[in-house]
Amino acid sequence: DTEVTQTPKHLVMGMTNKKSLKCEQHMGHRAMYWYKQKAKKPPELMFVYSYEKLSINESVPSRFSPECPNSSLLNLHLHALQPEDSALYLCASSQGGDRGRGTEAFFGQGTRLTVV
Amino acid sequence: AQKVTQAQTEISVVEKEDVTLDCVYETRDTTYYLFWYKQPPSGELVFLIRRNSFDEQNEISGRYSWNFQKSTSSFNFTITASQVVDSAVYFCALSERESGGSYIPTFGRGTSLIVHP
């Protein structure tokens, strides 16, 4: 099983709404990532969790709040977003740790977010 | 500075043609990892191949082949006898040791491949 599952697949939200994106993997991976991808651009790293602790925050605005409740789940809480935050949000996981050094990341299908 | 350069923004070919997607990378590390991913219109990034910096052996997998040359810092990807289903955006990525000790992939801008019937 090399599957990373993201829900929802599509989300439309207003600028005053609060919503959450969810990501789940059952590969025993200990590193999980959030990427943001605008149209015709490469994925850009937002956050990295390593062993359920936030290890990298790429200076992401506080209106994006990540959470890692356990080793299989990763959430991204959204609040007071702007229209320019509309994008494809991708979750990924990789083995992590010294054993997982340089191993490939597996990606979910993403959540297409539209902020109106 | 861009660490992964995919100079070809878009390539258009006719089915059964061979096509090569170029990737040039930049790193000061001696240990690093290179990847190719495929992103079809559905959005999911599909892992294709991983190479570490100590393994310059070229690889062939069906119609796909990869040419890794450290001397020119290139990791090119060739599709032989292209098919319409190969139409997608292809990303080359570099993973090198970050300050926190992690290896995080950094993506090139991607090459959009369009295969016409």
Side-chain angles (χ1 to χ4, degrees):
Chain A
D1 179 11
T2 57
E3 194 170 297
V4 176
T5 304
Q6 288 187 245
T7 56
K9 289 192 170 34
H10 300 273
L11 178 62
V12 179
M13 62 184 289
M15 289 188 283
T16 57
N17 290 159
K18 283 186 184 180
K19 296 286 185 184
S20 296
L21 309 184
K22 297 185 184 302
C23 174
E24 189 169 3
Q25 57 87 15
H26 295 287
M27 295 178 275
H29 287 173
R30 304 312 299 269
M32 295 187 77
Y33 315 77
W34 280 114
Y35 282 84
K36 173 182 178 180
Q37 187 179 23
K38 301 283 273 184
K40 299 188 186 298
K41 297 286 187 184
E44 292 180 355
L45 184 68
M46 299 174 73
F47 302 104
V48 179
Y49 272 83
S50 179
Y51 289 83
E52 297 153 58
K53 289 195 167 79
L54 183 65
S55 61
I56 294 179
N57 176 343
E58 291 288 285
S59 302
V60 179
S62 59
R63 57 186 183 270
F64 296 91
S65 175
E67 178 197 18
C68 190
N70 60 53
S71 60
S72 300
L73 293 174
L74 186 66
N75 298 323
L76 186 62
H77 303 298
L78 314 172
H79 174 53
L81 295 193
Q82 303 297 312
E84 58 264 30
D85 296 321
S86 298
L88 179 68
Y89 288 84
L90 291 160
C91 174
S93 71
S94 66
Q95 192 167 349
D98 283 343
R99 278 192 180 178
R101 187 179 67 180
T103 55
E104 60 272 23
F106 292 92
F107 285 79
Q109 282 195 316
T111 295
R112 291 195 186 273
L113 174 68
T114 303
V115 182
V116 297
Chain B
Q2 194 170 2
K3 293 186 176 182
V4 180
T5 301
Q6 294 180 256
Q8 304 148 309
T9 305
E10 183 175 298
I11 301 175
S12 185
V13 300
V14 177
E15 217 172 9
K16 296 185 184 176
E17 280 186 40
D18 298 346
V19 58
T20 294
L21 310 181
D22 297 332
C23 174
V24 174
Y25 62 91
E26 180 185 332
T27 179
R28 294 181 181 175
D29 284 356
T30 54
T31 301
Y32 53 89
Y33 301 84
L34 295 162
F35 307 85
W36 275 96
Y37 283 87
K38 174 183 179 180
Q39 188 173 39
S42 60
E44 181 180 2
L45 277 158
V46 178
F47 165 74
L48 296 177
I49 191 171
R50 172 180 70 142
R51 263 289 172 270
N52 72 54
S53 51
F54 301 107
D55 181 5
E56 282 194 77
Q57 193 172 11
N58 291 330
E59 182 157 336
I60 298 175
S61 176
R63 296 184 297 108
Y64 294 170
S65 62
W66 291 270
N67 182 359
F68 176 28
Q69 291 196 334
K70 284 177 76 171
S71 59
T72 55
S73 297
S74 65
F75 186 40
N76 296 338
F77 173 30
T78 297
I79 301 175
T80 304
S82 59
Q83 299 175 2
V84 172
V85 293
D86 295 328
S87 298
V89 179
Y90 290 86
F91 290 98
C92 179
L94 167 70
S95 184
E96 54 187 344
R97 190 175 179 86
E98 303 291 332
S99 58
S102 303
Y103 282 79
I104 310 295
T106 301
F107 290 85
R109 291 187 173 182
T111 297
S112 177
L113 174 63
I114 302 168
V115 181
H116 300 280

